[in-house]
Amino acid sequence: MHVPEEQCSILEQPGRDLRANRQWFAARRAGRAYLGYMRLGYQVIEFLETGALTLPMSEPGRTRILDVQKRTVPFAEVLAEADELQQRLESLVETSPLPDHPHRDAVNRFLADTYPAWWSRRESSTRRR
């Protein structure tokens, strides 16, 4: 849902609809799932603050994560930064402007409408061949 459109190989109408309504999935509880992961910590902070993700990962987090992966950052510094990220995430899980839960009714409605239409369309195109 957050991958730039120009990087999508195939994007059909259900995917466009999901991308247009990605706010249905935005919720603070997503932050709880990623506590303790440094790279994801940067991305979840962005998500909890904005309801969106920048892909590829935005700066300065991207360069920082690459430096950590290349082991050019002292381990003690990585631990301290991971601790800071965790504290920031824990705070955002409580204070983010996102709702507590995804918009389940909208997602369920989308699925209930999309699946039958999609499979009906696929089935009819297979019969025509």
Side-chain angles (χ1 to χ4, degrees):
M1 288 187 292
H2 298 279
V3 174
E5 190 164 334
E6 65 274 5
Q7 292 183 10
C8 295
S9 300
I10 298 172
L11 186 58
E12 300 206 19
Q13 193 57 49
R16 284 185 190 87
D17 294 341
L18 276 176
R19 292 169 65 84
N21 294 292
R22 62 181 164 218
Q23 75 279 2
W24 292 342
F25 299 89
R28 285 187 292 209
R29 65 180 298 191
R32 288 184 189 94
Y34 299 104
L35 291 172
Y37 297 94
M38 192 168 184
R39 178 184 61 83
L40 294 173
Y42 280 108
Q43 291 179 298
V44 173
I45 286 169
E46 176 187 14
F47 180 74
L48 290 174
E49 289 176 342
T50 68
L53 288 175
T54 303
L55 295 173
M57 191 175 171
S58 60
E59 294 296 347
R62 182 178 189 279
T63 297
R64 182 63 171 175
I65 294 302
L66 290 172
D67 289 344
V68 169
Q69 289 174 340
K70 289 186 264 183
R71 299 179 184 195
T72 60
V73 180
F75 187 63
E77 194 175 314
V78 172
L79 288 178
E81 187 171 345
D83 193 43
E84 282 178 36
L85 285 170
Q86 174 129 352
Q87 290 174 23
R88 191 164 166 206
L89 272 172
E90 287 172 354
S91 174
L92 278 169
V93 164
E94 302 302 322
T95 62
S96 169
L98 298 179
D100 286 332
H101 299 281
H103 194 314
R104 290 184 180 116
D105 291 340
V107 172
N108 287 332
R109 213 172 21 259
F110 171 81
L111 293 173
D113 293 344
T114 302
Y115 278 142
W118 176 259
W119 289 110
S120 173
R121 192 177 112 216
R122 302 274 304 183
E123 188 176 288
S124 67
S125 71
T126 304
R127 280 193 224 139
R128 282 188 250 145
R129 290 181 190 174

